[in-house]
Amino acid sequence: SSELTQDPAVSVALGQTVRITCQGDNLRNFFASWYQQKPGQAPVLVIFDKNSRPSGLPDRFSGSSSGNTASLTITGAQAEDEADYYCSSRDSSGNEWVFGGGTKLTVL
Amino acid sequence: EVQLVESGGGLVRPGGSRRLSCVGSGFSFSNYNMNWVRQAPGKGLEWVAYIGSGSGSIFYADSVKGRFTVSRDNAKNSLYLQMNSLRAEDTAVFYCTRQGLYCTGSTCSDALDIWGQGTMVTVSS
């Protein structure tokens, strides 16, 4: 299997821009997807296919990728964006899913 | 409304068994590959198992291989996870997830686009 590495915690001032990153060798071959999880809730897909958003998701969420690093950017972070964010992609075999350890985002 | 609803969680003794179920609605269940993902208390997400739309492809995480069996019944829009030889470290919320395929031109990628609310499995004596 493969590993995806995320910073454990990131903070951002209300209304500012924050980038959450995810590193892993399999990201050279597979797009990352990003999931938001608020306390006591199930994860929700926020970014897929490198930079696509599910319908209804605010456009302040965007994704990008370069080499072995994928990024989730929140432009103008809101209080309701405070959550854990997980990246995920297929592993090197393409048969399994692997998740990053998650990044806890605090909006100050 | 597109949704997945899990059931079957509860308290299980170490070495015991449990069967989880997940029912999909609001979409053509038989057209989608499905996965189970779990989350231990206070921990991150861990992929558990994958099953193709026609049950022709099945894969497991090393941590559950030989103990867990994933299956589905498309006529009932249902996904299952049979868990045997349960251990304390299997204690987790188990989520049923739909694997959506997204294509732009000739490039396709997939993502776990729909998640159930989860069902808690506690393995303890």
Side-chain angles (χ1 to χ4, degrees):
Chain A
S1 62
S2 308
E3 291 188 356
L4 296 176
T5 302
Q6 298 181 240
D7 291 330
V10 171
S11 61
V12 61
L14 183 68
Q16 296 303 301
T17 297
V18 62
R19 174 175 292 181
I20 299 170
T21 61
C22 173
Q23 289 189 304
D25 286 340
N26 46 317
L27 296 180
R28 298 182 187 277
N29 299 310
F30 299 100
F31 288 132
S33 48
W34 289 90
Y35 304 86
Q36 177 193 69
Q37 187 180 34
K38 297 181 179 179
Q41 298 183 19
V44 173
L45 176 67
V46 294
I47 291 289
F48 62 95
D49 195 23
K50 190 167 79 173
N51 189 21
S52 296
R53 290 185 309 277
S55 61
L57 197 85
D59 61 5
R60 63 178 179 271
F61 290 87
S62 63
S64 62
S65 182
S66 178
N68 72 336
T69 301
S71 300
L72 171 69
T73 299
I74 306 174
T75 303
Q78 302 299 303
E80 61 264 32
D81 299 334
E82 189 163 285
D84 293 327
Y85 291 85
Y86 294 90
C87 63
S88 182
S89 79
R90 299 300 200 97
D91 79 332
S92 55
S93 74
N95 295 327
E96 304 178 5
W97 289 90
V98 60
F99 289 92
T103 297
K104 182 177 183 61
L105 176 66
T106 300
V107 180
L108 304 172
Chain B
E1 179 189 7
V2 174
Q3 65 175 354
L4 296 167
V5 178
E6 303 96 334
S7 61
L11 176 64
V12 188
R13 303 296 188 199
S17 297
R18 199 80 176 183
R19 188 195 198 205
L20 306 183
S21 299
C22 168
V23 177
S25 60
F27 66 100
S28 183
F29 183 85
S30 63
N31 287 345
Y32 287 87
N33 303 327
M34 300 292 293
N35 293 265
W36 287 98
V37 174
R38 68 182 179 182
Q39 185 171 36
K43 302 298 184 181
L45 302 172
E46 180 190 15
W47 172 80
V48 172
Y50 161 95
I51 184 167
S53 59
S55 302
S57 293
I58 290 175
F59 301 103
Y60 299 98
D62 288 343
S63 58
V64 307
K65 203 170 295 183
R67 300 187 300 123
F68 289 12
T69 301
V70 62
S71 62
R72 63 190 296 164
D73 184 341
N74 287 339
K76 296 182 178 180
N77 293 338
S78 293
L79 176 72
Y80 306 102
L81 187 67
Q82 177 66 44
M83 304 184 295
N84 299 330
S85 303
L86 283 162
R87 308 165 180 166
E89 54 266 34
D90 294 317
T91 294
V93 175
F94 283 75
Y95 296 102
C96 163
T97 71
R98 188 182 83 169
Q99 186 168 314
L101 182 66
Y102 299 89
C103 296
T104 303
S106 61
T107 301
C108 295
S109 66
D110 44 24
L112 304 178
D113 61 357
I114 302 295
W115 295 62
Q117 86 288 351
T119 188
M120 180 72 199
V121 174
T122 302
V123 184
S124 174
S125 54

